Amino acid sequence: MNTTAAVVERIETLRNEINYHSRQYYVFDEPVISDTEYDRLFRELQDLESEYPQFIIADSPTQRVGDTPLASFNEVSHSLPMLSLDNAFGEEEMGEFERRIRDRLKLDGDQKISYLAEPKLDGLAINLRYEQGRLVLAATRGDGSRGEDVTSNVRTINAVPLKLQGDDWPPILEVRGEVFMPRKGFEALNRHAQELGEKSFVNPRNAAAGSLRQLDPRLTARRPLSFYTYGFGEVIPAPIASTQSESIYRLRQWGLPVSPLQEVVTGIQGCISYYRQIVQQRDALPYDIDGVVFKVDDLNRQQQLGFVSRAPRWAVAYKFPAQEEMTQVESIEFQVGRTGAITPVARLNPVFVGGVTVSNATLHNMDEVMRKDVRPGDTVVVRRAGDVIPEVVSVVLLKRMGGTAPITLPTRCPVCGSDIIKPEGEAVARCSGGLFCPAQRKEAIKHFASRKAMDIEGLGEKLVDQLVEQGLVDNPADLYSLTQEQLSGLERMAEKSAQNLLDALEKSKLTTLAHFLFSLGIREVGESTAQSLANQFSTLDALQQADEARLQETPDVGPIVAAHVVSFFRQAHNRAVVEQLLEVGVHWPEVEPQAADQQPLLGKTIVITGTLSRSRDLIKQELQVLGAKITGSVSKKTDYLIAGEEAGSKRSKAEQLGVKILDEAALYALLESLK
Ligand code: IVH
């Protein structure tokens, strides 16, 4: 790079390439190079420009960010007023909109109206003025006739071209569109603000507005703003096409980004089905929208229709139902969920939000209540977005009455009176009542009966619901006193199935300590923790007497699990249920704890597959007592595969890997030899 001419040429090429790639990305949504390659081009241009500053021009892609903060924004007049839109809520109001248009245009029954349809972005309106293809002014809407000059901030938005593409644009071209902040960027911005202990933004729209109103463009440049064009201001000479859709198409050719969801639709039916389609897509879009805008496509018709006060007659915003409303909190209650989670709920003065009447809103958990400091009597903002459960977003502090105090977590479960426990560092508080708490009863019994717990065949969800609702069963132990008579009285329960269930209950009484522990539904005691506890303690008595320190000697048992176990057995009603279960005959083979030197299978990994004549769990337990590790899949590390009848893929895998395979007889022979 030695001659000045070569430098100038390279600079020119780089600018064109960078602008081309920006357009591919923002306007056509079809990037052709990676971000890294883009950055490389950008850096090369920056380097050249700093070496040869005499060649810097204002609309070079490197010149988006100025370096001087403003003292204030200048006011500017709009050449043509920036209007707003009439709203329609519901299909009926959309019908009225079209009827008014048909009347004014005196259309016959068979003359159809085409509309340009697009989402209504939830950001803020901006007017961009291009003179001779160069961005010279960007202004906010303000009061519609006068706005603020935010040019230096808007220049930092990469989606906004500083220079139009091609050469067939009108010398004066004003376009209007929406500046918005995509949700991802908004979330990242708020996360960052929270980390720094700064105030976060309520929603992406506020964040976009706040970002454009920064006096220092270097700050705006760091905000993830984007932009879509949807209309025009002053255009000389006008028009650039005969329909709205063609005009927008031309804007796109000149490098202005346009919503990819734009579509021309016909008649009111076309509008309604477009609306429904956008409703479906709404949650998946990367930015917030609050409705759909329809504009009569034919510009002659637009002109004929004209304006009423501040809105065009030829356009309408079909709004989604508002997702946020204000109302008053009547009281705050604590609900106990199926798993014992305590959820604070605000009882509200009923309010219509997100398309339904809402009278309860979740406050999620105590940390949230404290953070938002919601109190009875407060006026709050309630949000219901899509199918998400309604929630309290924030308190309107200005409206708070005197004499209220922050809410505190109750110490006892409002349903059963058991202790409420909120482990340190966890957000969720829980009722410790477990099987005893009526709110958790159904869930506790379903868990108790499930395959990996007591494995009571035929005791499904619907049946448990009926048993509890009819007062036949209060806790798992009650299951074992059910009679044939009681059972056959239930819905969809023939005599035969009643007998089958009684048989299944009888069969379930022979279990293992691990299954029994798991079936009690102690928090954090899953299947494998239950197994470790059973291995460690061998008897229920020993386990019940263990303190937290002793419990923590068990592999995989830490302070949290230990605390849950202790708290479970400390509660008299839980001990009573356990007692009752033993009395009705639930039992398991006692196994003596083995010393390490009596564990001949220590270090051996065994997989069990296929149908065996004895319960697989009993076999598993027996092998574990001898020190074996039982796993679920065959690998090179497997020492034995125990294969019952109809062993399938595990058997073939073992054959492939040369793992030793034992049938049931060989297994018993092995166990015998180890005794
Ligand atoms: S057309 C002459 N199209 O909605 C009216 N507006 O409620 C021009 N908006 O101030 C507006 N997305 O900020 C139009 N696709 C869209 C829009 C849209 C968002 C905003 C715009 C306007 C407000 C009116």
Side-chain angles (χ1 to χ4, degrees):
M1 194 78 59
N2 34 27
T3 71
T4 312
V7 171
V8 171
E9 195 185 318
R10 181 66 189 151
I11 287 182
E12 185 71 6
T13 310
L14 283 168
R15 284 179 187 153
N16 286 336
E17 277 194 36
I18 291 169
N19 286 334
Y20 166 77
H21 291 302
S22 288
R23 258 194 323 277
Q24 286 305 119
Y25 185 85
Y26 289 105
V27 184
F28 300 110
D29 202 12
E30 261 176 47
V32 282
I33 57 170
S34 68
D35 289 0
T36 334
E37 283 171 284
Y38 180 91
D39 290 344
R40 199 181 50 72
L41 294 175
F42 199 88
R43 222 162 312 122
E44 187 185 343
L45 178 60
Q46 271 179 328
D47 291 347
L48 279 179
E49 284 181 345
S50 69
E51 204 175 327
Y52 303 93
Q54 65 271 35
F55 300 132
I56 296 181
I57 51 167
D59 50 21
S60 169
T62 57
Q63 301 303 301
R64 287 189 174 271
V65 191
D67 49 10
T68 35
L70 304 173
S72 64
F73 295 110
N74 287 328
E75 256 202 15
V76 283
S77 292
H78 299 302
S79 333
L80 284 175
M82 285 180 80
L83 302 170
S84 73
L85 287 171
D86 270 343
N87 292 331
F89 289 95
E91 296 181 2
E92 204 171 306
E93 292 185 19
M94 278 301 292
E96 285 163 20
F97 163 72
E98 182 165 271
R99 221 163 303 124
R100 284 195 300 271
I101 293 182
R102 299 193 72 88
D103 287 351
R104 277 209 169 245
L105 296 175
K106 301 198 171 48
L107 297 187
D108 295 336
D110 55 353
Q111 282 179 291
K112 296 251 187 296
I113 308 177
S114 292
Y115 299 94
L116 180 63
E118 65 195 301
K120 185 172 190 299
L121 294 151
D122 205 4
L124 62 151
I126 214 90
N127 184 66
L128 303 179
R129 186 176 175 91
Y130 289 89
E131 291 180 3
Q132 309 303 332
R134 292 194 148 76
L135 178 65
V136 294
L137 179 68
T140 60
R141 177 167 181 270
D143 64 4
S145 14
R146 296 175 70 75
E148 281 176 327
D149 177 349
V150 287
T151 314
S152 17
N153 287 343
V154 169
R155 285 175 62 92
T156 69
I157 304 172
N158 286 320
V160 172
L162 301 179
K163 195 178 140 214
L164 297 179
Q165 166 72 3
D167 53 13
D168 56 346
W169 22 257
I172 305 284
L173 173 68
E174 283 186 2
V175 296
R176 285 168 183 177
E178 201 83 348
V179 168
F180 60 94
M181 188 177 287
R183 278 184 211 143
K184 264 212 185 110
F186 165 73
E187 282 155 17
L189 182 66
N190 266 358
R191 243 189 337 267
H192 190 63
Q194 265 163 10
E195 276 163 19
L196 297 179
E198 289 170 3
K199 237 185 114 203
S200 48
F201 290 102
V202 186
N203 55 38
R205 203 177 70 81
N206 287 6
S211 304
L212 264 201
R213 297 207 77 265
Q214 290 286 345
L215 286 167
D216 185 350
R218 287 169 299 190
L219 292 181
T220 312
R222 281 190 238 133
R223 299 289 172 82
L225 295 173
S226 197
F227 172 77
Y228 277 143
T229 323
Y230 53 66
F232 303 89
E234 186 173 48
V235 180
I236 305 175
I240 54 171
S242 61
T243 61
Q244 180 87 21
S245 51
E246 278 169 48
S247 319
I248 296 283
Y249 180 79
R250 297 199 70 188
L251 294 186
R252 202 159 177 249
Q253 297 311 109
W254 295 328
L256 286 152
V258 172
S259 167
L261 300 172
Q262 271 195 351
E263 233 175 78
V264 176
V265 300
T266 312
I268 194 69
Q269 274 319 318
C271 293
I272 288 171
S273 55
Y274 180 83
Y275 174 87
R276 291 187 183 156
Q277 181 195 319
I278 296 295
V279 166
Q280 295 292 319
Q281 293 182 44
R282 183 183 189 184
D283 289 346
L285 293 177
Y287 42 77
D288 280 0
I289 61 173
D290 58 351
V292 170
V293 182
F294 298 101
K295 297 171 190 133
V296 170
D297 198 31
D298 184 325
L299 296 187
N300 276 329
R301 283 181 170 171
Q302 284 192 5
Q303 200 138 46
Q304 262 175 279
L305 288 163
F307 303 87
V308 244
S309 62
R310 312 202 53 75
R313 284 203 189 85
W314 43 265
V316 71
Y318 186 176
K319 296 279 287 273
F320 299 137
Q323 293 185 318
E324 286 187 5
E325 287 294 346
M326 277 198 244
T327 189
Q328 259 196 325
V329 176
E330 286 171 355
S331 61
I332 293 172
E333 286 173 18
F334 290 87
Q335 282 182 347
V336 190
R338 296 177 313 163
T339 58
I342 307 284
T343 310
V345 175
R347 303 273 177 231
L348 304 170
N349 233 338
V351 60
F352 191 74
V353 53
V356 296
T357 302
V358 167
S359 39
N360 300 308
T362 178
L363 286 157
H364 299 290
N365 56 52
M366 255 344 259
D367 290 353
E368 283 274 306
V369 176
M370 264 141 47
R371 199 167 58 76
K372 292 176 181 163
D373 188 16
V374 185
R375 308 177 186 185
D378 275 350
T379 299
V380 291
V381 176
V382 176
R383 180 177 171 83
R384 180 185 182 271
D387 290 332
V388 182
I389 46 170
E391 61 171 351
V392 171
V393 179
S394 58
V395 174
V396 185
L397 283 175
L398 282 174
K399 296 200 175 179
R400 173 168 288 168
M401 311 287 176
T404 57
I407 289 285
T408 51
L409 180 69
T411 52
R412 304 217 166 258
C413 170
V415 177
C416 73
S418 302
D419 293 348
I420 286 179
I421 295 177
K422 183 172 181 284
E424 190 119 352
E426 270 182 46
V428 181
R430 287 177 195 277
C431 162
S432 60
L435 336 162
F436 172 76
C437 179
Q440 299 169 66
R441 207 167 262 168
K442 284 183 183 173
E443 231 33 49
I445 295 171
K446 285 172 197 170
H447 172 76
F448 181 84
S450 65
R451 200 171 58 78
K452 291 178 173 169
M454 297 297 282
D455 194 14
I456 307 172
E457 225 173 291
L459 187 54
E461 200 156 320
K462 296 242 165 63
L463 197 48
V464 172
D465 289 347
Q466 282 192 70
L467 289 170
V468 173
E469 279 158 21
Q470 305 211 0
L472 295 174
V473 170
D474 274 350
N475 73 43
D478 296 339
L479 289 170
Y480 293 98
S481 5
L482 286 169
T483 63
Q484 165 98 31
E485 228 180 359
Q486 287 174 323
L487 286 175
S488 6
L490 298 173
E491 236 174 79
R492 267 176 295 163
M493 184 52 94
E495 206 167 295
K496 176 91 168 51
S497 28
Q499 189 53 52
N500 286 347
L501 181 59
L502 289 177
D503 292 347
L505 278 161
E506 198 50 42
K507 191 170 151 219
S508 75
K509 286 182 183 169
L510 171 59
T511 181
T512 65
L513 177 57
H515 277 234
F516 182 74
L517 288 176
F518 177 59
S519 78
L520 296 176
I522 305 168
R523 279 215 66 73
E524 302 284 340
V525 177
E527 212 192 336
S528 75
T529 306
Q531 185 67 60
S532 304
L533 289 168
N535 291 350
Q536 182 81 6
F537 290 94
S538 298
T539 69
L540 183 60
D541 263 353
L543 176 72
Q544 275 183 292
Q545 277 155 30
D547 61 10
E548 296 186 25
R550 274 280 288 128
L551 285 162
Q552 285 184 60
E553 289 166 13
T554 314
D556 301 329
V557 171
I560 295 178
V561 176
H564 282 301
V565 173
V566 167
S567 131
F568 182 89
F569 288 114
R570 201 174 44 209
Q571 314 213 26
H573 48 75
N574 287 338
R575 286 200 308 270
V577 172
V578 169
E579 214 41 36
Q580 215 181 321
L581 283 166
L582 300 178
E583 269 165 32
V584 298
V586 172
H587 67 289
W588 50 89
E590 290 266 339
V591 270
E592 287 297 314
Q594 303 276 327
D597 60 352
Q598 289 178 316
Q599 296 194 310
L601 293 180
L602 199 65
K604 298 281 185 223
T605 302
I606 300 181
V607 176
I608 310 176
T609 189
T611 318
L612 300 154
S613 62
R614 283 171 57 197
S615 139
R616 188 183 288 187
D617 285 305
L618 286 174
I619 295 177
K620 191 169 154 187
Q621 198 177 38
E622 211 162 327
L623 292 166
Q624 279 171 332
V625 167
L626 296 170
K629 183 172 155 203
I630 311 296
T631 65
S633 58
V634 176
S635 74
K636 276 190 299 206
K637 292 193 194 130
T638 311
D639 295 290
Y640 297 112
L641 176 74
I642 302 191
E645 301 284 310
E646 286 161 41
S649 62
K650 286 185 190 166
R651 185 179 186 118
S652 352
K653 180 107 186 262
E655 280 165 0
Q656 250 174 43
L657 295 172
V659 170
K660 192 155 189 196
I661 301 175
L662 304 179
D663 63 12
E664 209 172 342
L667 166 69
Y668 297 139
L670 172 72
L671 290 175
E672 202 54 38
S673 74
L674 295 174
K675 277 198 177 146

